[in-house]
Structures are given as structure tokens and as C-alpha cells.
Amino acid sequence: MRVVVDINHPGHVHYFKTFIREMEQRGHEVLITASHKDVAIQLLQQYGLKYIDLGSYGSSLLKKVINVPIMDVKMYRAVKNFRPDILLGFSSIRAAHVSKVLGVPAVIFDDTEHAVWERRLYAPFSDVILTPSCFHRDIGKKQARFNGYMELASLHPNRFTPNPAVLAELDLAEGDPFIIVRFVSWEASHDVGQRGIRDKVGLVKALESYGRVLITSEGALPDELQPYQIRVSPEKLHDLLYYATLYVGEGGTTASEAAILGTPSIYVSSLVGTMGNFIELEETYDLLHSFTDSSAALGRAIEILQDPASRENWRVKRERLLADKIDVTAFMVWFVENYPRSFTEMKEHPEVQYSCALTSGDAPLAQTSSQSS
């Protein structure tokens, strides 16, 4: 098969990197298209993934709207001679648009219920929209649900083994208490008008009493916080998250990644309550705690830091989650290799969760989900 994978965010690199490698190992050709967002391009380079650079949509909402047709044209020119059999992306407007021009199917992943603007632009042109089973919006007949999270595509134990070497780069050792704090730019189209941590300096100073604070930020930090900023390569963040004592931040993707890795996770955003994956991680698995109020978030963070059993408790809760969820990369490979039959099977048997043993050809491993699909 000839497969196009479109990247428009650092998180998308992690969602698709193991899928890309598995597909190539199985003899398929994969073409990556990518646009500039935070460290997305840097991650592709660090992982040794070749890509076609499409440029940027811009930082303002107006620029993003103006650049939609321009990016469509850029992507069309990038992939037309590749003659793809299928296009994949996460909420990818341009992949959906270009698929219609080329007359090939577009499979779009989505786990962000409040990203209504993007969905209005990609959904009419896509063929399939794959969402986690906890996604609480009904998108219609194109939607199929899988029992996992996008983050499990790279963080499932079948795909990820933490490397403690990153700790030495920061003069840390296993068991040292440290807290990762993340601030976002709020420039994504679905983040316009939203907010997170109000008193950034106050939060960091309060957390510092319980361990070393390491900051990752999409935007410029106040002078007072710049000494806390992480200087390690972005591809090592997951290793760091695994060994952290606590995560606190506005970054939703990083919050869910920390929770899935078994690290206590505090998410601070006005978007709390709008996304099914966060609700499930909190209410079903108790791996993440969400707050709209920074003071309440800090109070819960201190409670966790003061409890010496927190780390072990989160590891136990993580094992419960992993027992419930599928290997998302294996599912993606099975779905693409067997499309459109795979989509038909999922629609006809929504109570069944499909995964795939990558050595067993196209036969799905199916099990009845313990949760509603």
C-alpha cells in the first residue's frame, strides 16, 4: 500500500510514529506531510522520519482560515505523484480535502470534542472518523470507535520502554522528586478564548517546596521562570514524564500522556469537562484530576506530593487501564491494511474491539469490550 500520513502538531508525531514504522516494516510505502507547530518538525527530525515540509497555517485564527486553501494546494502538490491508496491524519482538514481531489479514502482520527471548527471543515470530505470509545459526540455514520486513547499508540507497553538516561542530563536520579509543569500558547483554533494557570510564578514557587520544578512551554516565559525551563530534546519528554513525581499543566495532551504513563497528573484549563478521554481518565481510572481553578489545582497537587504512596497508587491504577485498553498502533495497522472491510466490521459489530497481532496477517483479534462502545 501507499499511505500518506499528515502531521500538524507534535502530538501527531507520537500518534503515528510507531504506525509508520510498522507499516514500512510490513512492506508498505509511507509519505509524511508536515506543517509547523511548536516542535513537530524537530520531533520528526529527531526520530529520523523523512517528511515534506508544508510550511505553517500561521498563529492567528484569521491567518489559519486564509491559509486553509493554500495548505490544501501545497499538500496536493506534495502527494499527487505518490499516488496514495489512503490518507491518514488527526483532525486533518487538508488530508480530507486532498483525498476528495485524488479520489482516495481519508481516515481521520479525532479525540477533541470541542474542536468543532476543524470538524466542520474535514468531516464532509472524510470517509472514516475514528474516535476513542469515550468520545461523547455522535459524529454520524462515518464514525467508528476504538477502545483506547491516541496516546496509547506510542505509550502502550508494547511500544514504549522508559529510558532513565534522560535523568542524568538534568542531574537527577531515579527516585528524586521532581515536578513537570507545562504552559501552552492557546493559539490553536479550538483554544481561542480559553485559559489555564493564572499565577504561573506563584504555582511554580509553591511546588518547588516539594521537589525540583521543570517547565516546558510553548511560549516565552517570564524572566523569573526561565531558569526552570527544560533544555532536553523534546523526544525525551515521555521518559521524563514516566519518572516524574507529578505533572501539572495546561497542556491537555501532556496531561493525558502523564496519566497513561502512571504519573499523577493535574490538568488546569477552562476546557475541563468537554473531552471524553479526560473525563474517563479521571472518573473511571482516577489517573488524572482536572480543574478550572488554579488554586484548587495547586491544593490537589500538594496533597498528592505529601502522600508517599501516590506513586505506587498511580502505577496500580495504570495497570487497570492497560488491562482494559487495546494496543492502538496494532489496531491502526489492522484497520488500514484491511480497509474498507475493517470499517464495515466495526460498524456491524460495535460491541467488539478489534486489535491485531502484527505477525498474524490480516486476522483481527477481537474481544467483547467491557465498556459501552
Side-chain angles (χ1 to χ4, degrees):
M1 297 181 69
R2 292 184 297 275
V3 181
V4 170
V5 175
D6 187 47
I7 303 293
N8 191 38
H9 186 278
H12 304 170
V13 181
H14 298 303
Y15 297 165
F16 291 108
K17 65 182 181 183
T18 52
F19 166 80
I20 292 167
R21 289 168 178 162
E22 290 286 357
M23 291 294 284
E24 289 178 338
Q25 288 174 7
R26 293 164 72 84
H28 306 294
E29 295 181 59
V30 181
L31 174 68
I32 303 170
T33 54
S35 55
H36 293 248
K37 175 66 169 77
D38 196 18
V39 295
I41 297 296
Q42 184 179 347
L43 279 171
L44 287 169
Q45 293 170 345
Q46 292 289 343
Y47 288 125
L49 297 171
K50 295 181 179 179
Y51 62 93
I52 296 178
D53 191 336
L54 301 179
S56 171
Y57 278 104
S59 58
S60 70
L61 183 58
L62 177 60
K63 288 181 179 179
K64 292 176 190 294
V65 172
I66 292 172
N67 281 318
V68 165
I70 296 173
M71 296 295 275
D72 283 358
V73 171
K74 287 183 177 181
M75 184 167 183
Y76 171 74
R77 290 173 176 170
V79 306
K80 64 176 181 177
N81 291 331
F82 183 65
R83 295 180 294 110
D85 297 303
I86 195 167
L87 281 76
L88 274 70
F90 183 93
S91 294
S92 178
I93 298 166
R94 57 184 181 250
H97 291 180
V98 170
S99 76
K100 286 305 176 192
V101 177
L102 294 175
V104 298
V107 175
I108 306 297
F109 292 82
D110 196 343
D111 67 359
T112 311
E113 285 90 338
H114 63 278
V116 177
W117 182 81
E118 291 98 326
R119 199 150 44 244
R120 285 175 178 168
L121 290 176
Y122 82 69
F125 305 92
S126 61
D127 295 270
V128 177
I129 303 171
L130 292 172
T131 68
S133 54
C134 56
F135 191 90
H136 62 235
R137 280 184 180 264
D138 183 351
I139 303 175
K141 63 182 181 180
K142 295 180 180 180
Q143 182 181 18
R145 302 173 186 268
F146 61 93
N147 191 26
Y149 308 111
M150 291 305 302
E151 292 81 4
L152 277 173
S154 62
L155 298 181
H156 191 280
N158 291 347
R159 313 292 160 188
F160 175 77
T161 301
N163 184 354
V166 67
L167 299 174
E169 294 184 31
L170 297 166
D171 296 321
L172 291 166
E174 289 189 52
D176 287 351
F178 68 95
I179 302 106
I180 295 179
V181 175
R182 178 159 176 79
F183 303 122
V184 300
S185 63
W186 302 104
E187 290 181 348
S189 56
H190 54 261
D191 286 341
V192 173
Q194 305 298 334
R195 66 182 189 280
I197 298 167
R198 293 189 178 277
D199 182 6
K200 293 179 172 60
V201 175
L203 177 99
V204 170
K205 295 298 183 182
L207 293 174
E208 197 171 26
S209 300
Y210 299 91
R212 186 172 165 190
V213 177
L214 305 174
I215 297 176
T216 170
S217 179
E218 287 183 343
L221 291 171
D223 291 343
E224 196 170 355
L225 295 183
Q226 288 182 11
Y228 300 88
Q229 192 160 14
I230 295 175
R231 303 298 178 185
V232 298
S233 300
E235 80 276 7
K236 299 177 182 178
L237 180 60
H238 291 147
D239 299 308
L240 205 58
L241 278 173
Y242 179 87
Y243 291 105
T245 309
L246 176 71
Y247 166 83
V248 182
E250 305 164 328
T253 299
T254 314
S256 56
E257 288 170 340
I260 288 166
L261 287 170
T263 296
S265 182
I266 304 288
Y267 176 50
V268 187
S269 172
S270 55
L271 291 167
V272 166
T274 65
M275 294 172 283
N277 52 345
F278 288 86
I279 293 170
E280 184 174 86
L281 284 169
E282 182 161 13
E283 296 184 358
T284 302
Y285 298 105
D286 194 33
L287 284 163
L288 178 146
H289 298 285
S290 302
F291 298 90
T292 56
D293 178 76
S294 300
S295 298
L298 177 60
R300 181 67 183 114
I302 291 173
E303 289 177 3
I304 292 171
L305 291 167
Q306 290 177 336
D307 182 0
S310 290
R311 183 72 177 179
E312 181 57 32
N313 290 340
W314 253 258
R315 290 291 189 249
V316 172
K317 290 184 281 190
R318 179 197 185 219
E319 290 304 313
R320 180 188 166 213
L321 177 145
L322 293 174
D324 287 347
K325 301 300 180 183
I326 63 173
D327 178 338
V328 174
T329 289
F331 161 75
M332 293 164 70
V333 171
W334 169 78
F335 187 90
V336 171
E337 286 190 331
N338 294 280
Y339 182 83
R341 179 172 61 85
S342 52
F343 180 57
T344 302
E345 288 187 14
M346 291 185 72
K347 295 297 286 185
E348 291 179 349
H349 305 285
E351 78 283 359
V352 173
Q353 291 301 322
Y354 295 91
S355 188
C356 174
L358 293 181
T359 58
S360 64
D362 63 358
L365 298 176
Q367 62 180 42
T368 303
S369 173
S370 60
Q371 301 180 26
S372 172
S373 297

